[in-house]
Amino acid sequence: MEKLIVKNFGALRNIEIQLKDLTVFIGETGTGKSTLAKLLSIFRSSDFWDGEVRQVEFFKRKLAYYQLANFLEPGTIIEYQSELGFYLIYNEENVRAGVSEKTLKYFYDKNIKIVDDHINNFIKDMMRESF
């Protein structure tokens, strides 16, 4: 299940959404629809999940690329969880990112190599830390 939680980020005050195969954002101008879409673009891009994802400056550069960096404020919380078990949590200038233990165990047990090198390196890093 893919999920996004955003608090105190631009126009978004307290949002929690579970994304389905088709998710539609509807609302007035300036309510955060584009902000949500841009955040999802960041988290869904394979180059995001490389070794630097745990660095707050890397995360801020990605936000800046999508013109979202100025939306950060005291109390901003952004949590993302992918269907594959990847997650990122931004809270008070700290970033935590990883892969769920269930997903790591699955990849480890099956000795699976992901085709995308960025994601594969991220998983390898997480495996080294977990096993």
Side-chain angles (χ1 to χ4, degrees):
M1 165 182 58
E2 188 178 25
K3 182 165 81 170
L4 181 63
I5 298 171
V6 183
K7 297 179 182 178
N8 303 318
F9 185 73
L12 304 171
R13 295 293 102 199
N14 191 8
I15 302 293
E16 181 173 338
I17 56 173
Q18 292 182 357
L19 297 140
K20 309 285 185 188
D21 290 340
L22 176 65
T23 301
V24 179
F25 301 134
I26 299 171
E28 298 291 321
T29 302
T31 57
K33 300 178 302 294
S34 295
T35 300
L36 286 171
K38 288 176 181 181
L39 284 172
L40 288 172
S41 291
I42 291 170
F43 294 131
R44 287 179 170 177
S45 76
S46 60
D47 73 322
F48 180 74
W49 296 101
D50 66 13
E52 291 184 62
V53 70
R54 295 182 221 144
Q55 303 292 325
V56 72
E57 291 307 317
F58 175 78
F59 183 60
K60 286 181 176 182
R61 279 195 311 273
K62 290 295 184 180
L63 292 176
Y65 178 81
Y66 285 88
Q67 300 177 336
L68 298 175
N70 61 335
F71 290 177
L72 291 171
E73 58 186 80
T76 293
I77 296 172
I78 301 171
E79 297 181 21
Y80 173 77
Q81 181 178 332
S82 76
E83 287 183 320
L84 295 175
F86 297 96
Y87 68 86
L88 177 128
I89 301 168
Y90 172 90
N91 186 355
E92 299 294 325
E93 292 289 316
N94 292 305
V95 174
R96 285 186 301 137
V99 181
S100 72
E101 286 187 31
K102 180 180 176 182
T103 300
L104 277 178
K105 184 167 177 19
Y106 179 81
F107 283 107
Y108 183 79
D109 289 347
K110 304 287 185 189
N111 197 23
I112 293 175
K113 181 180 184 331
I114 304 298
V115 174
D116 186 292
D117 287 335
H118 291 292
I119 293 175
N120 195 48
N121 290 337
F122 184 73
I123 289 173
K124 282 181 185 175
D125 288 346
M126 295 304 297
M127 284 177 154
R128 275 195 290 275
E129 293 175 14
S130 298
F131 296 102

